[in-house]
Amino acid sequence: ATQPTALEDPTHEPRPLPLPTTRPQGLAPPATRPANTAAPVSFRADSIDTLRTPDNKLAAAITNVRIYQERPNGDFLQLQSDRGVVYTRIEHARKIDDIGAIKEIRDAVSAVYLEGDVRVTFTPADAASKGEQTLEANRIYYDFLTDRAVLTDAVMHSVDPTFQIPLIVRADTLRQLSRN
């Protein structure tokens, strides 16, 4: 009599196989939850129209826009485009009447969607060792809370700071999973 194999034995419970990893041992997995705060985000635009998002948050449709974020560590991020939408964490039902609300909006920007001649410049505080990055794209969605981004029809320009070699990457879709 032959013993039934694992495939023929209905009482056999399969065990999951360990999956290979590319992450060095001892490092924690990347955070998937958004942080509660991000550095303030400033923006200038030719026109601003407020909107209500499906989750009842305040958003703004903008044209000919420049967006700036200086981070506490000294890094500087600038985005510009022909048009887009700025998303906030502010409830739409609140009145935005006074000048103090402008600071509140700066502190509450959570993400942007931009399209039309999008240009992104990231200047690290230590530009000598890390190098500046510039990106061009047709569209970008940038989440300031998680530092995640998706760019379409993108071109990234950078220079290796050690060897001073230019680096150019072209992609249909370019994703940033975190700042680091």
Side-chain angles (χ1 to χ4, degrees), residues 1 13 18 22 27 43 62 68 75 78 104 110 119 126 130 135 147-148 154-155 160 164 173 176:
E13 290 188 32
T22 57
L27 290 181
F43 61 93
I62 49 182
Y68 310 93
D75 291 349
Q78 176 182 316
E104 185 178 339
S110 59
R119 297 172 190 267
D126 187 14
K130 294 184 182 175
L135 298 106
D147 274 330
R148 291 183 178 199
V155 179
D160 180 298
Q164 295 300 307
T173 303
Q176 174 177 298

Side-chain angles (χ1 to χ4, degrees), residues 40-56:
V41 176
S42 301
F43 61 93
R44 287 189 228 161
D46 286 349
S47 69
I48 301 173
D49 296 316
T50 59
L51 308 166
R52 180 189 316 230
T53 64
D55 60 347
N56 200 36

Side-chain angles (χ1 to χ4, degrees), residues 1-135:
T2 62
Q3 294 287 336
T5 65
L7 294 176
E8 298 168 344
D9 184 4
T11 62
H12 176 75
E13 290 188 32
R15 289 178 287 173
L17 295 174
L19 296 175
T21 181
T22 57
R23 182 181 301 119
Q25 294 296 329
L27 290 181
T32 56
R33 285 189 193 174
N36 291 332
T37 61
V41 176
S42 301
F43 61 93
R44 287 189 228 161
D46 286 349
S47 69
I48 301 173
D49 296 316
T50 59
L51 308 166
R52 180 189 316 230
T53 64
D55 60 347
N56 200 36
K57 302 290 185 199
L58 178 68
I62 49 182
T63 60
N64 196 18
V65 63
R66 286 184 184 246
I67 298 170
Y68 310 93
Q69 183 187 46
E70 186 166 355
R71 298 173 179 188
N73 67 356
D75 291 349
F76 187 77
L77 178 67
Q78 176 182 316
L79 301 97
Q80 65 184 46
S81 75
D82 294 338
R83 61 197 161 275
V85 179
V86 174
Y87 298 94
T88 72
R89 297 174 304 221
I90 298 174
E91 293 293 325
H92 186 270
R94 294 178 49 195
K95 297 285 184 191
I96 309 294
D97 294 334
D98 60 82
I99 195 73
I102 293 172
K103 181 181 183 328
E104 185 178 339
I105 290 172
R106 284 187 61 217
D107 293 336
V109 171
S110 59
V112 293
Y113 167 77
L114 303 172
E115 63 182 22
D117 194 23
V118 177
R119 297 172 190 267
V120 179
T121 304
F122 175 74
T123 307
D126 187 14
S129 68
K130 294 184 182 175
E132 182 178 273
Q133 292 180 356
T134 59
L135 298 106

